[in-house]
Amino acid sequence: ETGVTQSPTHLIKTRGQQVTLRCSSQSGHNTVSWYQQALGQGPQFIFQYYREEENGRGNFPPRFSGLQFPNYSSELNVNALELDDSALYLCASSLHTGSEQYFGPGTRLTVT
Amino acid sequence: AQRVTQPEKLLSVFKGAPVELKCNYSYSGSPELFWYVQYSRQRLQLLLRHISRESIKGFTADLNKGETSFHLKKPFAQEEDSAMYYCALKTHGGYQKVTFGTGTKLQVIP
């Protein structure tokens, strides 16, 4: 059984650019959640996708958007990057919306 | 709005001493509460959830709705318990939202 994987591991972007982060969920999992973790903070919930539909969202602006594909992998897109977007982005998958989440290793995004 | 508060950034205890990591929450509905742990250089992982009422690695946590708390306890700390611990709250059903606390670093001194 393969765990949750994320790509890329690290990324450096310039303010104003756009970025796409990718997540492959654990086999059989139909729910994916994305989190932003700034240095010294707990993970902040961005949104959750269940069977290709967004079914939960935190307090993030619309420039944070996502997709879930038929194989349940997912993308997080961030437009018009700001310096404060620099953080570790975590993806977590679960068997369904009410079950245990399994986290990926994260993507470290640096915006300069 | 829901909120999770972990008042201690760092908790240092000696090996064999009892541990209590504090977590308080505010939420108008009926919450689902979790403790997550992150060991050095490892991924964030679920430690326990209140609905399962399990004891994992000797840790327990009881949901106290009157005090809106979900403190994590262990009677005798082990060195391998040193890690970052996060308390989290999830809303039920429908459109979901998860809120994490800022975390407490537990340091067990040999």
Side-chain angles (χ1 to χ4, degrees):
Chain A
E1 186 178 277
T2 308
V4 178
T5 60
Q6 292 186 243
S7 62
T9 308
H10 297 91
L11 202 50
I12 300 174
K13 288 286 190 177
T14 304
R15 192 169 53 181
Q17 285 188 315
Q18 177 265 343
V19 70
T20 297
L21 310 182
R22 294 179 175 81
C23 171
S24 289
S25 55
Q26 191 159 313
S27 178
H29 288 190
N30 61 22
T31 302
V32 172
S33 300
W34 285 92
Y35 296 85
Q36 180 195 67
Q37 187 173 21
L39 208 57
Q41 301 295 316
Q44 301 262 326
F45 177 65
I46 303 175
F47 41 57
Q48 177 176 280
Y49 278 82
Y50 169 64
R51 293 186 175 181
E52 303 178 59
E53 298 279 334
E54 183 184 292
N55 85 324
R57 192 176 181 95
N59 299 327
F60 280 81
R63 60 189 185 85
F64 285 78
S65 63
L67 276 175
Q68 188 179 30
F69 300 99
N71 67 355
Y72 301 135
S73 66
S74 177
E75 285 183 355
L76 164 65
N77 297 291
V78 187
N79 292 323
L81 283 166
E82 300 177 0
L83 297 179
D84 284 349
D85 295 333
S86 294
L88 181 68
Y89 288 84
L90 297 169
C91 164
S93 75
S94 53
L95 205 54
H96 54 76
T97 59
S99 61
E100 177 178 352
Q101 292 187 93
Y102 293 82
F103 281 83
T107 293
R108 173 73 62 188
L109 172 66
T110 302
V111 182
T112 62
Chain B
Q2 59 203 68
R3 178 179 287 184
V4 175
T5 303
Q6 292 180 253
E8 303 134 330
K9 275 195 174 303
L10 172 66
L11 182 66
S12 296
V13 301
F14 285 102
K15 179 181 171 181
V19 174
E20 183 179 49
L21 298 170
K22 292 185 167 47
C23 172
N24 287 90
Y25 67 90
S26 65
Y27 178 56
S28 57
S30 184
E32 196 171 344
L33 285 150
F34 306 81
W35 276 99
Y36 284 85
V37 61
Q38 188 165 28
Y39 301 102
S40 181
R41 295 193 179 86
Q42 292 189 28
R43 303 178 184 199
L44 197 58
Q45 58 186 283
L46 179 67
L47 180 60
L48 52 80
R49 55 198 300 182
H50 89 271
I51 59 171
S52 60
R53 303 180 70 84
E54 292 173 303
S55 172
I56 306 291
K57 299 184 179 183
F59 284 98
T60 58
D62 289 318
L63 177 60
N64 185 324
K65 291 187 178 181
E67 295 183 0
T68 59
S69 68
F70 187 56
H71 303 326
L72 184 68
K73 298 177 184 179
K74 184 170 182 176
F76 308 104
Q78 303 297 314
E79 287 179 67
E80 56 266 29
D81 296 330
S82 295
M84 197 74 188
Y85 291 80
Y86 294 96
C87 182
L89 179 157
K90 185 163 82 78
T91 60
H92 272 302
Y95 209 65
Q96 300 196 340
K97 188 170 178 178
V98 182
T99 303
F100 275 77
T102 50
T104 298
K105 184 174 181 178
L106 175 64
Q107 184 179 62
V108 180
I109 304 163

